[in-house]
Amino acid sequence: MSKRYFAAATLLACAVAGSALASDASDLGGKLTPVGAERAGNAAGTIPAWDGGITTPPAGYKPGGDYVDPYAGDAKLFSIEKSNVDQYKDQLTAGQRMLFARYPEYRMDVYPTRRSCALPASNYEKTKQNVGVAKLDPASSDLVNAVPGGLPFPLPQSGAEAMWNHRLAFEGVGRNVAGTSAVVDESGNFVPQKWEEVRLSTYYNPANTTFDALNNVQLKYFTIYTEPARLAGEEYLVHETLNGERNAWIYTPGLRRVRRAPTLAYDNPSSGYEGLATNDQLYMFNGRLDRYDWKLLGKQEVFIPYNNYAFASSAHRVRDLTKKNFPNRDLVRYELHRVWVVEANLKPGIRHLLPRRVFYIDEDSWRVVATDIYDSQGALWRYQEETTVNAYDVPTCFSFGQTFYDFQVGRYILDLAYNDDRRPDFHAEATGGATDDMFTIGYLRKRGTR
């Protein structure tokens, strides 16, 4: 089997080419999937055709419980290790190759590719309506028009358009989660950072049928830290905009007051992460695109974490996931998938700590699943990777863990781990777990002072 993967190691596009640029809206749902991915598999047979993904929960799934692994019976095909990594180098990101170079014990277990990602039918309809309608500001790359409820650019013509698909990847209308972040030291130890977050998507609220109805708000979210003591009680409120700067506020327990938080953006250090991550590294990338020039390089076949139901299971605690140097190799499933490759280079005269980034965007979910990050000297500095699961009760593909590596200091962060906490609620707008009154300054103040 591994020889087939080696034979298929190829860059699918060296410049902006690929199927999407030769397609139009009529191809969505035909030779392309409803979100613009190639429906067909690859020539080697190592990537299958998309058959609709998982749209209903498998037998045994109970709402509010762990996601049942529909692929639990899959046998591992092979492992990529230091001894054979050169055979697969063309299907690895620069960050993955660095992990093999630095850590002789690092490995990637490869399983059959399962194109499980799916979205509700209404999202497909709105995505098709966006072809020729969604627009970006050419100077800032802000979104200035779109049909709410669908991906804006299923046939991307630029890197910025592809990144907007990531920014607007569907994750349900309302979401209520409690999770853990772990800043892991050189010995594999960490102090758990516990937090709760509630999100409400204005863009995917079915009541908003026009772009103007959004009032320039993509989504609203509220985050509170509960552990450790040095962070407990710190709260954030964010109104993420579609164009212009985001609106953000912070409640600090020591000051006992709410204030604006303009630094909650770009390359300002993310709270609690000990300088190992910038604010716009969270969720693989978030915020405005205006500081970079974005280039769509084309597509590539890459081994990425996919269908990681074991990694997401509450049977494995966060302590089980976090090992020295990298997360537990026994719990991460890799598959070969096609990804869009987008290169971001800092605009001349603009400041940002991370001058060059290369993003790998899964064609089926439009989620950034890996990122190579370079320093001002052109050396690889950081690497990010997402472990994806199909939350088929929605349905949507969603991150159940993101890893941030810093090669200069030799440490990593495991973020968005829900293993030790209640299962994510992706229907919070219906269950009362995400209501519009939660996203006001008054609510933030009330939560902080009670």
Side-chain angles (χ1 to χ4, degrees):
M1 178 64 73
S2 62
K3 290 181 179 179
R4 294 173 64 205
Y5 282 84
F6 176 66
T10 178
L11 184 66
L12 302 183
C14 297
V16 179
S19 63
L21 297 186
S23 303
D24 57 38
S26 66
D27 292 319
L28 296 176
K31 73 175 184 180
L32 302 180
T33 73
V35 298
E38 295 173 55
R39 183 182 291 271
N42 65 357
T46 50
I47 296 176
W50 184 77
D51 62 2
I54 307 176
T55 56
T56 57
Y61 170 71
K62 296 180 179 179
D66 280 326
Y67 287 103
V68 174
D69 185 354
Y71 309 122
D74 284 353
K76 180 176 69 173
L77 299 176
F78 57 92
S79 293
I80 304 175
E81 300 171 317
K82 190 175 181 65
S83 61
N84 66 355
V85 67
D86 285 348
Q87 182 178 347
Y88 304 99
K89 63 182 180 180
D90 291 336
Q91 294 162 305
L92 300 173
T93 70
Q96 290 170 337
R97 294 195 296 271
M98 177 66 81
L99 286 165
F100 282 106
R102 288 180 68 101
Y103 306 118
E105 68 277 21
Y106 185 78
R107 80 172 196 276
M108 295 165 56
D109 291 339
V110 177
Y111 288 79
T113 298
R114 304 289 192 172
R115 296 179 68 180
S116 60
C117 286
L119 296 176
S122 60
N123 295 63
Y124 294 149
E125 295 169 7
K126 296 296 180 64
T127 295
K128 193 168 188 176
Q129 292 174 27
N130 261 316
V131 176
V133 172
K135 302 292 182 185
L136 297 183
D137 181 285
S140 65
S141 295
D142 287 344
L143 188 67
V144 294
N145 195 34
V147 177
L151 290 160
F153 301 106
L155 309 175
Q157 306 295 304
S158 68
E161 290 185 352
M163 291 301 294
W164 265 102
N165 288 340
H166 162 75
R167 272 198 54 174
L168 290 170
F170 179 68
E171 297 178 350
V173 178
R175 186 172 86 228
N176 191 323
V177 299
T180 302
S181 301
V183 183
V184 185
D185 67 20
E186 296 87 339
S187 300
N189 298 317
F190 66 93
V191 176
Q193 295 179 21
K194 310 286 286 184
W195 44 267
E196 299 174 4
E197 184 175 273
V198 182
R199 289 192 169 214
L200 190 62
S201 173
T202 307
Y203 187 82
Y204 282 104
N205 183 340
N208 296 322
T209 59
T210 67
F211 193 75
D212 288 343
L214 300 174
N215 291 319
N216 194 32
V217 177
Q218 173 191 340
L219 60 85
K220 304 173 183 178
Y221 65 90
F222 172 87
T223 305
I224 180 171
Y225 284 93
T226 57
E227 295 181 31
R230 63 184 175 84
L231 291 175
E234 189 171 288
E235 305 177 32
Y236 295 92
L237 171 64
V238 175
H239 291 184
E240 187 68 271
T241 59
L242 294 160
N243 48 76
E245 303 294 341
R246 63 161 53 112
N247 295 307
W249 299 265
I250 181 173
Y251 174 82
T252 306
L255 298 176
R256 296 184 64 82
R257 66 182 179 89
V258 175
R259 53 192 173 86
R260 292 296 295 259
T263 60
L264 196 68
Y266 297 117
D267 58 348
N268 292 293
S270 183
S271 179
Y273 289 173
E274 301 180 21
L276 300 181
T278 62
N279 277 313
D280 64 4
Q281 280 187 259
L282 305 185
Y283 303 101
M284 304 302 285
F285 180 83
N286 73 91
R288 294 187 77 188
L289 283 66
D290 61 322
R291 294 193 179 183
Y292 290 96
D293 289 319
W294 301 86
K295 185 176 182 181
L296 189 61
L297 300 182
K299 284 188 179 179
Q300 187 176 349
E301 294 178 1
V302 176
F303 292 107
I304 55 177
Y306 222 86
N307 295 308
N308 278 271
Y309 293 92
F311 195 88
S313 172
S314 62
H316 304 296
R317 313 303 285 173
V318 174
R319 170 50 64 190
D320 300 325
L321 304 181
T322 50
K323 301 300 180 182
K324 181 180 178 181
N325 298 326
F326 40 76
N328 191 333
R329 296 293 85 195
D330 295 333
L331 297 176
V332 184
R333 170 187 175 124
Y334 286 85
E335 300 178 3
L336 187 70
H337 285 261
R338 284 185 295 246
V339 297
W340 285 101
V341 184
V342 175
E343 182 179 46
N345 287 284
L346 195 61
K347 291 180 178 179
I350 301 297
R351 184 194 63 81
H352 195 291
L353 184 66
L354 312 176
R356 177 173 174 251
R357 302 152 93 163
V358 178
F359 296 90
Y360 302 85
I361 306 175
D362 170 41
E363 70 169 346
D364 288 330
S365 66
W366 284 107
R367 298 184 64 87
V368 172
V369 289
T371 311
D372 298 324
I373 303 175
Y374 296 83
D375 64 19
S376 59
Q377 305 303 311
L380 186 66
W381 178 9
R382 294 175 176 176
Y383 174 63
Q384 294 176 244
E385 194 169 82
E386 173 176 290
T387 48
T388 304
V389 164
N390 181 330
Y392 36 65
D393 58 325
V394 183
T396 186
C397 277
F398 184 73
S399 170
F400 277 77
Q402 293 178 355
T403 307
F404 303 63
Y405 297 95
D406 188 311
F407 295 122
Q408 292 183 0
V409 299
R411 300 174 63 189
Y412 75 93
I413 301 166
L414 176 63
D415 197 19
L416 304 184
Y418 307 111
N419 305 60
D420 296 355
D421 305 283
R422 65 177 184 269
R423 302 291 80 194
D425 177 7
F426 291 100
H427 308 277
E429 81 286 355
T431 61
T435 58
D436 207 54
D437 61 354
M438 292 180 176
F439 307 100
T440 65
I441 297 173
Y443 185 84
L444 183 68
R445 185 179 293 112
K446 180 180 178 181
R447 280 284 307 241
T449 56
R450 68 185 181 184

